[in-house]
Amino acid sequence: MKVSITVNGVQHEKDVEPRTLLAYFLREHCGLTGTHVGCDTSSCGCCVVVMDGDTAVKSCTMFAAQADGHAITTVEGLAQGGALHPLQQAFWDQHGLQCGYCTPGMLMTSYALLKHKPNPTDAEVREELAGNLCRCTGYNNIVKAVRQAAETLQAAPAQK
Amino acid sequence: MSTETTVKGSMGVPMKRKEDPRFIQGKGNYVDDLSFPGMLYMAIVRSPYPHAEIVNIDISEALLVPGVKAVITGKDLEAAGLGWLPTFHGYDKQMVLAIGKVLFQYQEVAAVFAESRGAAADGAEAVQVEYNPLPVVADPFTSKTDAVLLRPDRESKTNHIYHWEVGDRDKTTQALAASDTVVKQRMWFPRCHPAPLEPCGCVAQFDAMGRLHFHVTSQAPHVYRTAISIVTGIPEDKIHVISPDIGGGFGNKVPVYPGYVCAIVGALKIGRPVKWIESRTENLTSTGFARDYHMDVEIGATKDGTVTALKVSTLADHGAFDAAADPTKYPAGMFGIVTGSYTFPVAHAEVDAYFTNKAPGGVAYRCSFRVTEASYAIERGMDMLADELGLDPVELRKKNFVKKEQFPYPSALGFTYDSGDYHHTLEVALEKIGYKDLLEEQARKRAKGELMGIGFSTFTEVVGAGPSKHFDILGIKMFDSAEIRIHPTGSGIVRAGTKSQGQGHETTWAQIVAEELGLDPQNILVEEGDTDTAPYGLGTYASRSTPTAGAAIAMAARRIRERARKIAAHLLEVGEGDVEWKDYRFQVKGVPSKTVTMKEVAFAAYTNMGQNEPGLEATQYYDPPNMTFPHGTYIAVVDVDRETGEVKVRRFLAVDDCGTIINPMIVEGQVHGGLTEGFAIAFMQEIQYDKDGNNLNTNFTDYLVPTSLESPHWETAHTVTPSPHHPIGAKGVGESPNVGSPAAFVNAVIDALSPLGVRHIDMPITRDKVWRAIRDADAKKG
Amino acid sequence: MIPAAFDYIRAGSADDAFAQLQRLGADARVLAGGQSLIPAMRFRLARPAVLVDINGLKDLDYIRIDSGTLSMGAIARDSAVERAPWIQERKWSLLHDVSRVVADPVVRQMGTVVGSLCHNDPSGDWTAVALAARAELVVRGAAGERTVGIDDFLVDSFTTAVQEGEMALAVRFSVPDDRTAGSYQKVERKVGDYATAAVAVQVSLNADGTVREAGIALSAAGPCAVRVAEAEALLKGQAPTADLIKAAADAASRKSEPQADLRGSIEYKKNLAGVLVSRGLRQALARLGVQS
């Protein structure tokens, strides 16, 4: 079936099987391999992308067909005009990543989070990221990174 | 004459990681990101039975599934001489695809190659296998009876794999018998699994010249290349192994898995590239598990708390094949470190290993080759001894610590601990946690019947495998290597035999070179993982990289500095003997104004080298003279909810001593991650098999990885006792948090429950277990 | 893990969706949030021949309060409840609590309340909440729309009053009065795990402080979430003393029929049900300013 999805502002129209998961559509049909697959049970969040600007979705638990006609933002769409998004900068500054595999999902969940809750506390960040697993960092620095990004975005809202 | 501004050092600098830009933009290169023209996908058919004869495999339906190109079974591999794979340990071999029978649930039975992931999955579903179930051996105690022989393929017709021991059995037994007090406890370190977020996988591709390019999630790419050559007969020069970015290893990506061999065979047979990426379920049920040691621990002491003897007898459950990736001479790894940080005059440790109908493995999950099991045993044991004697666990430890002046200290089990200052690290930790205040608070809470616990772990671990005298994997000695080349304009490249899976080598290796050569670490490119270009190394696991490759890098850099000194002398127009390296530059001795920087020398190495050999590079293969002995003091503070059995970790402090620290930010990150893994192991992780051999924890809904909400906030600090033999004094740290933390958590819980008379609870410490222990203790009282 | 192949239909309207379901019968499954269905399909435990995607039906995507009734359409997302402008009001405290612990924060952005109720997982959260709040569902069948009270809606594990070819359109809650508060108590090993035990409580008081009505339901305590009618009856008309709360908790413990599994033994879970009822009641009452 034909599926047409706008990904990071670019329209991708492909003929795919209905059973094609959005994660594989992005990775294999759009060539955007930043979105990762880490588990079978929607537990790990490595596959999180943002739909229609502010809804975080686990792309391994959604068919590409469902996203037909919608806009998807992946990690590759965060930086604008060559400039890193404050979240990306913050993860780098705060050592919020080690192997990098959970990072795209963490970034996209955080991106959606900050749209709804621009000023979360540490405890709120920990609650809101509980759908994304990390094995390397122990979460301390990820929380710091999200807090730094929140501060940066509050100070300069144009960057959102 | 130098006109350069001040050159700074790079050691100990928390510089941001150089590798991060690609990861934060989603531009990492993981194996599943690779795609080649004509690439096929492979799926594996797996056994639902833990132990069964294979009566028949019918692939005819599978071959009819649209998109399926081929199906191979164990018989096909056997005909090609590839039916079995040597395990890294060398004492055993394992089936690639099952031949004759299956030995664990989810064991590999057939491989299907198809045009798409979906077709491969459809094809795998269509393979029909007829099994004849056999009696199941689901635990090592049953296995020991040999009532059911699991491995008729082995000459020694028994389920007993090996017996290993170290120390003096007789003296230890006598010393225990003569001791005022003996505590004895059976402790089980349950089976768990490293579960990195990126599952294992590979892409096998033969090029037009017949060379195999094998892209694979491997923590040890060179060893893979040699192993694949040995197993397949393909000459090593025709094999190119590439470990690209790896999404976490933790020991899970050290063994060579059956799927890898099948992918290579498929690519060769079909003539098209083959990609195999396992699912999470496959990862948890068939790849290298960790631990599963049933340990009987006995500690003897005088009545004033001086330890007299230690005896540990262990039953090890290795699963269906002994695929534990230990160095050859160490079937039980470094378990001999079980005397820990203490001066046991006499000790004995033994391990008997058995086959069971479970997945193969044993050595993984940041274990430093069984140091996790050993540390847990001794730290738990010391707490039990303190409890028995009515002593504060801190006092008991202080009394029995190896003292600073006793190093180098030969332990009763054959290790020579070369350095450490256990008392100092403990004092730093006590002060930071506010131990006195905590004890007062605990006393107040106990008076009200509230359950608060403080748990310690003062571990010593042993890493850095290892000296060629003792260590080899498949016969290859465990050295490591570095090759450094400095370019005309002062940049450089360093290639090492290690392979980072998140440990930050692209930054830390650059920092070492930059420190040694007074260059900018931003301009030192680090490469690992490509066997065509990197010098031969044994890979990254067991905290060995900094002790071995880190040393090789420092020494290679010093060789470069020596060559550079000659060129500097030429530039400064003095004799070689008149030039010294000072403040990160070359100076004429006694004339501080006459200097030249490494950057200037680098340019001259290509443009104005005089009589010297042009260029500026060096290679170093490093055979470590000894292991290294990082140590630490970890303290956990917990509060237990009586009614629900929930344990809240209120605080956790890790004070690590890993010698010289290259990048404190990276070290701290490693500690955070390892503590979270230790927390998971202590409270929620287990790979369980029921009595019929069914795996009960096959995906992330049943095998639990803690989220940001459950995970405590970690506090860290450091003391520094440099390694006396390492060129930069570093010891390694990646595994310390997994080694040290489980005991701290368990000790804290038991401390909380000790007023109720609870003495020990095996991990994982679930709510049910805690609730039950409290209820049983209350029942005894009332 | 790749699902078995299926055909996909994107419904253009609620009528269209219903017509497809009537036509296809057992061959078809509704795709709403998909957060339970798709994982089951990835393991090939569910193999529908056809999926009818209702996510595009804006008419079914609503949460509104109107004439004393809170209605949520078939594709109202869990997160929409979590972020509703009225969710901090005391009368909605039961929904406030549960909307923060269903699955995980990302799954909640796709998962639907009606979908959870139709899935009827024995350990689901919304089913216990619907029981405690005495909700009802609107179901469309061949004979037209009907309203089904939650007690009749939940039939057995993964089975509800929605028959083959039918479709649930909405769930409705009565707007509680100002002397009502609730509490959702969930013990889970980690976020995203099914409940080890969970309790939904909603209490309405009379002017004199006695209990006008109590709703108490357990999840992970049997084939379906279950109402503890015995405990509700104990509380009705009485002043909520500590002894009464204990009696209610004991009744819950007795009523609980959990399975032993990796989360805990039967004994432990039954005990936990009682503990959580006690805590739930005390929290709801504390929210109403009553110490117990």
Side-chain angles (χ1 to χ4, degrees), chain B residues 165-179 300 308-311 344-349 412-413:
Chain B
E165 65 178 280
V166 69
D168 193 321
R169 184 193 296 273
D170 290 337
K171 285 214 176 88
T172 303
T173 309
Q174 285 158 25
L176 284 171
S179 298
T308 54
L310 169 70
K311 182 160 163 43
F344 282 96
V346 74
H348 181 257
L413 295 181

Side-chain angles (χ1 to χ4, degrees), chain B residues 234-252:
Chain B
I234 302 172
E236 216 169 336
D237 70 302
K238 306 277 188 287
I239 301 173
H240 178 203
V241 175
I242 309 104
S243 292
D245 288 324
I246 300 183
F250 315 120
N252 190 219

Side-chain angles (χ1 to χ4, degrees), chain B residues 14-28:
Chain B
M15 65 177 277
K16 279 172 19 176
R17 293 199 333 170
K18 297 172 65 201
E19 47 266 78
D20 286 3
R22 67 180 181 276
F23 295 124
I24 56 181
Q25 295 182 80
K27 302 231 186 289

Side-chain angles (χ1 to χ4, degrees), chain A residues 46-117:
Chain A
C46 292
C47 65
V48 173
V49 296
V50 169
M51 188 166 71
D52 298 332
D54 65 358
T55 303
V57 299
K58 293 193 168 179
S59 64
C60 75
T61 312
M62 183 182 244
F63 295 111
Q66 289 173 260
D68 179 50
H70 288 269
I72 298 290
T73 313
T74 69
V75 63
E76 292 96 334
L78 278 183
Q80 294 296 323
L84 292 177
H85 187 278
L87 274 166
Q88 293 171 306
Q89 185 65 50
F91 269 70
W92 192 9
D93 291 342
Q94 298 294 339
H95 189 37
L97 64 144
Q98 291 180 26
C99 80
Y101 203 72
C102 78
T103 307
M106 286 287 181
L107 285 168
M108 299 321 291
T109 296
S110 303
Y111 178 82
L113 160 64
L114 293 179
K115 298 249 170 186
H116 293 281
K117 220 175 236 181

